[in-house]
Amino acid sequence: MNIFAEEKKYKTLKNDLILRAAKGEQVERTPVWLMRQAGRILPEYRAVRAKLSGFKELVETPELAGEVTLQPVDILGVDAAIIFSDILVIPEAMGLPYEMIKGKGPWFENRIRSEADFKKVHKADVGSDLKYVTDAISLTKKELNGRVPLIGFAGAPWTIFAYMIEGSGSKTFSEARKMLYTNPKLSHQLLQLITDSTIEYLKAQIVAGADMIQLFDSWAGILPSNQYKEFSLNYINQICDAINEVPKTVFAKGAWFALQDMVDLNCNTIGLDWNMSPEKGRELFGDKKTLQGNLDPCLLYADEETIVTETKNMLNRFGSQRHIANLGHGVYPDTDPEKVKVFIKTVKEHQY
Ligand code: CP3
């Protein structure tokens, strides 16, 4: 897409606060959204979900994915929508189908533990196997009608690798971490294949209408810093360098030790989790990056007064510019939506 097409797209948005904040432009107030805002907490989401066979039916039906993407915009008043999907659609498109098991989370029947297993996976054919995502994005863009920008996303290669090796969620991902030591060559080959698939996937999301993109490196925090550089940042770097059409956010959960190495990443925004300090973030990134985050998701279990005080405290620590207000990780499923509304209202009304 050329720069004029990009400008035109932004101009048709009624609320482009988050895009301006990402690009380091002046904003009249801090934009706010929540990671995992689509699904999880809203009764309206559960009502749609209850009529279906499962999570995947929702992800794979563009009309329904679009409907639940819009819910937090309508009900919570956030400044961005995030397309309802999952990071695990990429391993599936590469040849490893997943199931989402109630109470347990993701489960893969096949996993990668050897070179023979690796030979069975392939680069994702985005145009055919992930068309349901790009269709959901086009449809959602139409329905949004420029109210707020739409965020596209993918898992960072290391996090996707972790699920493909482990075959399920895990507290330690020790099978995935074992592979880095026992077969670094195979690890790099798989990470490269995931990276190539992800670049094509994110580009297709942008063509379909995503106004910005986020990479979720949910399992960043379990690697030692030298391995994080070698097996994760290298690949995040490739993705950031390949995508220049829209603003990019990198959220590496738990990777406080790698923030210094992320200063020169070719992205606009760095997500901070609640263990990372806004002051330290500013000191490291200066005016090179916008920061996103970083309220403790558990704060939303507190009483309203505490939520207001702590949200204001966070906002003051980041300052009024180059900040996108969010939690430090996804909102927890049993959070009261009324408490989320208190958080959002506090951000919108805050005077610095
Ligand atoms: O932000 C949004 O709300 C958009 C949709 C979205 C989902 N997953 C829907 C979902 C996004 C951005 C994700 C990202 C995702 N998925 C991540 C990275 C973010 C993070 O939280 O660290 C990860 C690690 C996954 C993998 C995954 N998907 C797990 C471990 C699980 C089970 C536990 C859980 O988080 O609920 C899922 C299932 C999932 N993905 C649900 C939703 C709404 C719940 C499924 C249901 O309704 O039954």
Side-chain angles (χ1 to χ4, degrees), residues 35-40 45 49 55 82-88 100 105-106 153 163 216 218-219 329:
M35 289 186 277
R36 311 298 295 271
Q37 69 188 16
R40 280 197 157 179
Y45 164 77
R49 174 83 167 66
F55 171 71
I82 179 160
I83 190 67
F84 186 84
S85 185
D86 202 88
I87 62 168
L88 302 178
M100 202 57 84
F153 71 91
Y163 283 104
F216 286 92
S218 306
W219 297 105
H329 197 192

Side-chain angles (χ1 to χ4, degrees), residues 16-31 268-270 272 278-279 281-282 285-293 314-325 347 350-352:
D16 65 352
L17 278 173
I18 195 169
L19 301 180
R20 280 190 277 137
K23 293 191 285 180
E25 295 171 10
Q26 191 77 21
V27 288
E28 42 302 348
R29 72 164 171 81
T30 300
N268 308 75
T269 302
I270 296 286
L272 300 185
E279 292 82 8
R282 288 289 183 222
F285 295 104
D287 62 0
K288 283 188 174 167
K289 301 270 188 273
T290 292
L291 301 177
Q292 174 171 279
M314 172 195 75
L315 291 168
N316 289 331
R317 289 177 72 186
F318 279 103
S320 67
Q321 302 297 318
R322 289 220 89 147
H323 178 219
I324 298 168
V347 177
H350 186 63
Q351 302 287 322
Y352 289 87

